[in-house]
Amino acid sequence: MKAILVTDQAAGKAGMKLVERPEPQAAINDVVVQVHTSGFVPTELEWPSTWTDRLDHDRTPSIPGHELAGVVSALGYGTTGLSVGQRVFGLADWYRDGTLAEYVAIEARNLAPLPDDVDFTVGASLPISGLTAWQGLFQHGRLQAGHSVLVHGAAGAVGSMVTQLAREFGAYVIGTGRAADRQTVLDFGAKEFVDLDHDTLEGVGGVDLVLDGIGGEVGKRSARLIRAGGTLVSIVGPVEAQPADGRAVDFVVESDRAQLGEIVQRVRDGRLRTNIGNVATLDDAVAALNPTERRKGKTIIRVRP
Ligand SMILES: NC(=O)c1ccc[n+]([C@@H]2O[C@H](COP(=O)([O-])OP(=O)(O)OC[C@H]3O[C@@H](n4cnc5c(N)ncnc54)[C@H](OP(=O)(O)O)[C@@H]3O)[C@@H](O)[C@H]2O)c1
């Protein structure tokens, strides 16, 4: 099969190569999926799990990509709940070969059925950004209707999902980002926009929840904005400053079939818009994942033409 491979951590995305690899085999409780489309998070090659296994042993060469939509082509020993020929989408294991390939072996529990009226490109854009937003708001952030939410990086893949889901839930959303993203963020449903290069974050006043997809100084300054009983949720690693009278949580997204179902249902009925920027073929994936200009929205690789 054709796959994108990385071998050299120092080279990062520039070291990606399109190569031939053996097709994967389904292990216990796995399925093999014929990948139609794959998502990719721009920071993925900085994650240790791209390079090592769970025992911290080198696992290169590895195939990156952790979001997919496709069709089940084989079942592993003892696998239930999915069938050969079924359309699926979901989140691949961080420590196994990923979805920038024609086939991937993946635990069935990491996948959900993809409804017939949702195309594969949309399907691959949802798992990481949709699940991270859902879990950040509703599990870790304990969002309630009427809360105010500050969303850092609100024009990005995760931030745009956070903005829309929080707004739908009845929260007052303040989005942040680059000056050029003001209208995009307001169009996703934020009531206010903070340009992080020119406005002061402190002007926001107090909020019940911060969803931080940027980190560093932005994260540290945000801790001071949390109201009593509020929460700072970081998706970019451990929180560096604690709120004086609130909680702080950092987490890594997990796959969840029921939540994938909730997310895709919102896309079908128009409550949720995906944030897809560029769509490229697997043959053009290395160039598409190494853009020379600022990209907006998620890059999706169409593996099957
Ligand atoms: N913990 C988890 O489970 C989890 C899950 C998904 C993603 N993540 C992490 O969350 C982060 C966001 O992911 P994503 O897929 O949403 O990325 P993305 O689509 O690139 O979105 C990030 C957004 O934030 C903006 N931004 C970044 N730094 C900024 C700054 N200093 N000032 C103003 N705007 C800034 C970006 O603008 P520019 O493009 O101009 O920089 C972009 O609009 C990444 O670090 C990713 O690794 C974590």
Side-chain angles (χ1 to χ4, degrees), residues 157-231:
V158 178
S160 55
M161 292 280 161
V162 173
T163 301
Q164 295 178 85
L165 289 172
R167 167 80 184 265
E168 183 207 336
F169 200 66
Y172 183 93
V173 181
I174 305 159
T176 78
R178 315 262 181 214
D181 290 330
R182 176 181 297 274
Q183 198 52 49
T184 305
V185 170
L186 297 176
D187 289 345
F188 277 120
K191 291 278 192 210
E192 294 178 39
F193 177 77
V194 178
D195 164 3
L196 288 174
D197 293 324
H198 302 101
D199 302 335
T200 62
L201 205 45
E202 287 67 24
V204 166
V207 293
D208 298 298
L209 175 61
V210 173
L211 209 308
D212 183 14
I214 294 181
E217 273 308 305
V218 170
K220 282 191 212 165
R221 282 161 56 204
S222 298
R224 295 198 283 270
L225 304 177
I226 302 287
R227 287 186 184 138
T231 309

Side-chain angles (χ1 to χ4, degrees), residues 41 43 47 128 132 153 156-158 177-178 181 196 213-214 235-236 251-253 294-295:
V41 176
T43 51
W47 306 343
I128 291 187
T132 305
V158 178
R178 315 262 181 214
D181 290 330
L196 288 174
I214 294 181
I235 61 166
V236 288
F251 78 100
V252 173
V253 63
R294 183 178 185 236
R295 41 151 212 104

Side-chain angles (χ1 to χ4, degrees), residues 13-14 18 22 24-25 43 64 71 81 101 103 120 123-124 153-154 159 163 171 177 194 216 226 271 304:
K13 287 185 285 188
L18 181 64
Q25 301 294 313
T43 51
V71 173
Y103 294 89
F120 289 114
T163 301
V194 178
I226 302 287
R271 280 177 289 168
R304 268 183 85 74

